[in-house]
Amino acid sequence: MPTAIAPSAIPPPPHAPSATVAERQLSAPTLGTVVDEHLRWIGRWHRAAFFWREARLPAEALAMPTAFVQWVREAKDAELSHQPAIDRLVGLHEQLHRLARLVLMRAAEGDPPTLDSYAAVAERFEEFMAQCRRIERAFGAAGSSIDPLTGLRNRTGLYEELEREMNRFRRTGRPFCIALCDLDRFKSVNDTYGHDAGDRVLVATAGAVNRGIRNFDEAFRLGGEEILILLKDASLTEGAGVLERLRADIAAQQVLIADGRSISVTASFGVAEADLTVHPEDLPSIADRALYEAKRAGRNRVVLAGPETGSPDRP
């Protein structure tokens, strides 16, 4: 998942005094700046492409936007440059400006844009702007407790929530459960149908989880295809009933992918019940062992942690 952009680390020009952190933060372009600059640029490009002879626009009016190049440097400094979403954005930017330059070169020779050449630029522009806005929303969500793809909570606040439930358990004597849900053979979905299909499966699974758990329960996306479900005020038997219905719901749903086909997936669950002798931070490890047993036993099943599952040693 993308993380927030770090303060600028672009080195100053040779012999220039070093900028302060505050100065670098103020000068660092955002994706909002990139979007605004490209909106101005596309207006200049339209005038140049269709009214070149009449307008005789000066060279600076045709200049390529610079904020995106600076923003990519920021992404590299923040170690975001190898994320697929960033790679796609860079690729769209290169395609957009390559196609746009080609149209202007032909217009300068007296060859006005064809419908196809104009549509190619317009489509890349729309894709680039849409991707900018998607990443900008993801960066905003990365600083919060919400996973931007699935809408589930992320790890932020997970252990505080477990500690809160443990304190309630100590007061009331009513236990709670946690479950680890892992999609079966999810890698094959990405390999066979592509990562867009994988994202659709994750979104559909998150929707099934939200519908299948009770209003006061919580679900967290831990990363990849793994989801942690906190079943409050529930014994192991009660939690197993909720999760068995959820397992069946996930297996029954059909996920529509981009090429019009529908695919289905299954999920395995490992469940652990809270114990006053077990530290709440150890519960995910116990549930993970039960999840491993579910995978080993053939997948698409709910396995409850028992005494043999044990608790990891703590220092």
Side-chain angles (χ1 to χ4, degrees):
M1 182 179 66
T3 54
I5 292 294
S8 171
I10 301 174
H15 311 301
S18 298
T20 66
V21 171
E23 289 170 340
R24 290 199 300 269
Q25 286 177 319
L26 288 173
S27 62
T30 65
L31 274 177
T33 305
V34 172
V35 167
D36 290 342
E37 190 178 36
H38 273 78
L39 286 171
R40 293 191 295 271
W41 167 81
I42 197 66
R44 295 197 305 268
W45 180 84
H46 274 102
R47 291 192 296 274
F50 291 98
F51 306 106
W52 179 279
R53 297 177 186 175
E54 292 84 350
R56 294 288 181 184
L57 294 177
E60 59 269 19
L62 306 176
M64 181 176 170
T66 59
F68 182 74
V69 175
Q70 297 175 37
W71 183 87
V72 171
R73 291 177 187 168
E74 293 289 322
K76 289 180 179 178
D77 291 334
E79 299 183 349
L80 294 172
S81 57
H82 298 301
Q83 292 197 18
I86 305 297
D87 292 341
R88 173 167 170 73
L89 188 63
V90 170
L92 287 171
H93 185 265
E94 292 174 352
Q95 294 170 25
L96 167 63
H97 287 285
R98 183 172 64 250
L99 292 170
R101 282 195 301 271
L102 183 59
V103 168
L104 292 184
M105 289 171 57
R106 290 175 176 171
E109 297 171 355
D111 187 7
T114 64
L115 178 60
D116 288 344
S117 63
Y118 173 76
V121 174
E123 288 171 6
R124 289 298 178 279
F125 178 76
E126 291 174 2
E127 290 179 33
F128 175 75
M129 298 292 274
Q131 184 75 353
C132 280
R133 292 187 171 109
R134 278 194 293 270
I135 294 175
E136 189 174 32
R137 287 194 299 270
F139 284 175
S144 73
S145 63
I146 303 300
D147 173 60
L149 176 64
T150 62
L152 300 177
R153 294 180 65 179
N154 58 30
R155 288 176 179 270
T156 304
L158 168 60
Y159 290 109
E160 289 85 349
E161 197 75 51
L162 292 178
E163 186 64 48
R164 189 177 299 115
E165 281 304 298
M166 184 62 80
N167 289 335
R168 186 196 56 76
F169 181 18
R170 294 187 184 105
R171 291 194 311 271
T172 66
R174 283 286 295 166
F176 64 95
C177 293
I178 70 163
L180 286 179
C181 166
D182 190 86
L183 293 177
D184 298 326
R185 298 187 174 91
F186 181 70
K187 184 178 182 297
S188 67
V189 174
N190 285 327
D191 292 344
T192 304
Y193 303 104
H195 288 277
D196 178 70
D199 286 349
R200 290 175 184 236
V201 167
L202 288 173
V203 170
T205 301
V209 169
N210 275 326
R211 292 189 300 272
I213 62 178
R214 301 162 301 178
N215 290 337
F216 51 85
D217 294 330
E218 302 278 0
F220 301 80
R221 184 186 180 197
L222 300 186
E225 69 274 22
E226 193 169 55
I227 296 171
L228 184 145
I229 301 169
L230 172 58
L231 298 168
K232 301 180 180 180
D233 193 13
S235 67
L236 197 60
T237 303
E238 292 167 335
V242 173
L243 296 168
E244 182 57 37
R245 290 192 297 273
L246 178 55
R247 182 204 62 76
D249 289 343
I250 292 173
Q253 70 180 354
Q254 296 291 312
V255 181
L256 184 66
I257 60 177
D259 63 6
R261 286 182 290 175
S262 293
I263 59 176
S264 60
V265 295
T266 61
S268 299
F269 295 81
V271 195
E273 182 181 78
D275 186 308
L276 293 177
T277 65
V278 176
H279 194 281
E281 290 189 9
D282 288 335
L283 287 173
S285 296
I286 298 173
D288 188 55
R289 293 172 187 170
L291 173 62
Y292 173 80
E293 290 300 319
K295 296 284 189 179
R296 192 173 66 86
R299 301 179 176 85
N300 190 25
R301 64 193 62 222
V302 178
V303 169
L304 311 181
E308 70 281 0
T309 311
S311 174
D313 295 331
R314 290 184 60 83

